[in-house]
Every structure is written in structure tokens, then in C-alpha cells.
């Protein structure tokens, strides 16, 4: 039985007082509604806020993650953060391979770089939230499942998780992120089942314990239908994680399945 995880990707949004208010509202709701009995929650702020957010969640059930890191341990890499530095803040997760880093931001990360970042996570004791997903042209060309196989397999070369908690996968169709156009529950389930089967060929039965999140325009009103799919184990939430009411609505949907 996999415990759902709802992870917030705040991207480059909010300021410190807004983040503190949001953490308090989320923590209060989790406590009042006993949501942590049935669901894990993580918040991924911009890196400069990792320390204050790790402090803000102390004594709550909320955990913290980074949005990115650099693969090397130390050295002349101006502006970058190592996995060890991220870990030292109190973060336990790190989003890797987000579509904005694969396709939008000038860095244009490829699968080899994402593999090295995933290995850096393992070295430092962080759990990667590994994002995979097809573009709209790949979907229209019927390539979705091949893209998912490739991205997942590439990230795990020489880097097999030893136990289910060593990895979280997030299926994030690129065409659904920030567009308001979510995948249907059936499309999500097809992709998630394929990812789990691919994981089984890579790591055996441990794949059955790995959480596979759906991400892409999840809102309180579509969350329940997606989260009830058998291979969907929660969500990676962008826009709707910036407001307490919508994020708490999504956590509640995950906790009630
Ligand atoms: C994301 O950026 O990971 C994401 C899922 O964004 P949104 O929920 O806004 O589509």
C-alpha cells in the first residue's frame, strides 16, 4: 500500500512572509483535519528559502524539497548548489528533470545531466522527485510511452533505487503543465501503469512501492478523479500550491483515497 504524497512546486513565486503564512495555513489544516494520517506533504520553495522553510515546518508533518541542484560535490561552479548543500538545509526531496528545466530555461537539461543529478541525490541522502513526460508533438506522434521509458531508464543508469523510498517519479505531460489542460484520469493511469511496469523491469518488485505522482494542472475539482487511479500516488502541484485553500483541497482529496 503506497501512501500518497502531495508535493508543492512553488517555482519562482512568493516572498518570505507569504511563504510563512502559507506554511502556517497548510500545517494548521493538516493538524485540524488529521490529513497526515493518510497523506505525506512536501513543499519545494526556491533554494534561497530552504533554510527558513525547513525552520517553518519544524514540529509539523510537512517536509521540504529543493527544485533543482547541481551534480558536482563542490568546486568552481558559480551560482550552483550541491546535493550536500541542499541536504544540509533540512530538505529531504529534490525535484529533478522538471519540464521547465528540460525545455524552457536556457540550461536545457538532458537525460545524462538528470542522471548525474539523481546520482548526486543518492550520494547526499536526498530523494529525487524525478519528472518525466512527453511534449504535445510526441503525444500526437504516438511516442508517449517510448519517451517515458527512455527518460526513466536514462535517469536510473548505474543508479538503481535500493528501496522504494529512494525514488519518487512524477509523470508530468509537458502540455498539461501550467496550461489548465490536465491529462484525463485514463491518460494518467495509462502513463503511470507503463512507468511502473518499466520500473519493474529495472528494479523488480520494489517498483510496487515507488510513488508515482501526477503533475499538470491539478486543481481541487479534478484531483479526486486522478488520485483514484490505481497507479497514481499523489501529485506534484504548481499553480494550485500557491494558495492555501486550493492546496489544502488537493491534500484532502489525496487523503480521502
Ligand atoms: C509543475 O510545474 O510541476 C506543475 C504541475 O504545474 P501546474 O500544476 O501549474 O500545472
Amino acid at each position: 500500500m503506497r501512501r500518497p504524497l502531495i508535493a508543492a512546486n512553488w517555482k519562482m513565486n512568493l516572498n518570505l512572509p507569504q511563504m510563512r503564512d502559507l506554511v502556517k495555513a497548510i500545517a494548521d489544516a493538516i493538524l485540524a483535519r488529521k490529513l497526515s494520517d493518510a497523506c505525506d506533504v512536501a513543499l519545494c520553495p526556491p533554494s534561497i528559502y530552504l533554510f527558513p522553510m525547513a525552520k517553518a515546518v519544524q514540529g509539523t508533518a510537512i517536509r521540504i524539497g529543493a527544485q533543482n541542484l547541481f551534480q558536482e560535490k563542490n568546486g568552481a561552479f558559480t551560482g550552483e548548489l550541491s546535493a550536500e548543500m541542499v541536504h544540509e538545509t533540512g530538505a529531504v526531496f529534490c525535484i529533478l528533470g522538471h519540464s521547465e528545466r528540460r525545455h524552457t530555461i536556457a540550461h536545457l537539461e538532458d537525460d545524462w545531466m538528470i542522471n548525474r543529478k539523481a546520482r548526486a541525490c543518492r550520494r547526499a541522502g536526498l530523494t529525487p522527485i524525478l519528472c518525466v513526460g512527453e511534449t504535445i508533438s510526441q503525444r500526437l506522434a504516438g511516442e508517449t510511452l517510448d519517451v517515458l521509458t527512455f527518460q526513466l531508464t536514462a535517469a536510473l543508469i548505474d543508479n538503481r533505487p535500493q528501496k522504494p523510498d529512494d525514488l519518487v517519479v512524477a509523470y508530468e505531460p509537458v502540455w498539461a503543465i501550467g496550461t489548465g489542460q490536465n491529462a484525463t484520469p485514463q491518460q494518467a493511469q495509462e502513463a503511470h501503469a507503463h512507468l511502473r511496469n518499466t520500473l519493474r523491469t529495472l528494479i523488480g518488485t520494489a517498483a510496487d512501492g515507488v510513488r508515482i505522482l501526477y503533475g499538470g494542472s491539478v486543481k481541487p475539482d479534478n484531483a479526486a478523479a486522478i488520485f483514484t487511479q490505481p497507479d497514481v500516488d499523489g501529485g506534484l502541484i504548481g499553480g494550485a500550491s500557491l494558495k492555501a485553500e486550493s492546496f489544502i483541497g488537493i491534500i484532502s482529496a489525496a487523503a480521502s483515497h
Side-chain angles (χ1 to χ4, degrees), residues 100-145:
E100 285 150 19
R101 299 198 65 83
R102 287 183 190 261
H103 301 291
T104 312
I105 300 168
H107 307 81
L108 294 183
E109 294 184 7
D110 63 15
D111 290 283
W112 173 231
M113 181 179 245
I114 293 162
N115 172 283
R116 293 176 70 203
K117 292 185 177 196
R119 285 196 254 172
C121 281
R122 152 136 341 155
R123 190 183 68 213
L126 294 169
T127 300
I129 300 177
L130 172 69
C131 299
V132 296
E134 79 287 2
T135 61
I136 190 63
S137 56
Q138 289 167 330
R139 174 161 282 270
L140 294 175
E143 294 167 0
T144 297
L145 301 185

Side-chain angles (χ1 to χ4, degrees), residues 51-184:
F51 269 118
M53 288 303 99
K55 193 167 172 210
V57 301
Q58 268 173 16
T60 77
I62 302 170
R63 291 186 288 168
I64 295 297
Q67 297 175 15
N68 181 39
L69 50 71
F70 193 64
Q71 58 269 22
E72 301 296 339
K73 203 167 183 175
N74 49 41
F77 303 105
T78 302
E80 298 291 354
L81 298 175
S82 70
E84 286 74 9
M85 291 169 180
V86 169
H87 184 258
E88 205 173 9
T89 66
V92 296
F93 294 109
C94 184
I95 297 172
L96 291 185
H98 191 276
S99 74
E100 285 150 19
R101 299 198 65 83
R102 287 183 190 261
H103 301 291
T104 312
I105 300 168
H107 307 81
L108 294 183
E109 294 184 7
D110 63 15
D111 290 283
W112 173 231
M113 181 179 245
I114 293 162
N115 172 283
R116 293 176 70 203
K117 292 185 177 196
R119 285 196 254 172
C121 281
R122 152 136 341 155
R123 190 183 68 213
L126 294 169
T127 300
I129 300 177
L130 172 69
C131 299
V132 296
E134 79 287 2
T135 61
I136 190 63
S137 56
Q138 289 167 330
R139 174 161 282 270
L140 294 175
E143 294 167 0
T144 297
L145 301 185
D146 289 342
V147 169
L148 299 182
T149 306
F150 184 85
Q151 292 179 344
L152 181 61
T153 307
L156 299 183
I157 291 171
D158 291 335
N159 181 36
R160 300 279 196 267
Q162 303 299 307
K163 52 185 192 318
D165 279 350
D166 289 347
L167 176 69
V168 174
V169 178
Y171 169 57
E172 295 216 310
V174 179
W175 47 272
I177 295 176
T179 59
Q181 189 195 349
N182 61 288
T184 64

Side-chain angles (χ1 to χ4, degrees), residues 15-33:
N15 60 30
L16 191 51
Q18 289 168 333
M19 289 180 199
R20 288 194 170 122
D21 287 350
L22 196 46
V23 168
K24 185 169 170 9
I26 296 165
D28 286 352
I30 290 175
L31 201 60
R33 302 186 202 175

Side-chain angles (χ1 to χ4, degrees), residues 9 11 98 100 172 176-178 215-218 236-239:
N9 177 9
K11 310 191 185 188
H98 191 276
E100 285 150 19
E172 295 216 310
I177 295 176
S217 297
V218 177
L236 180 56
I237 317 298

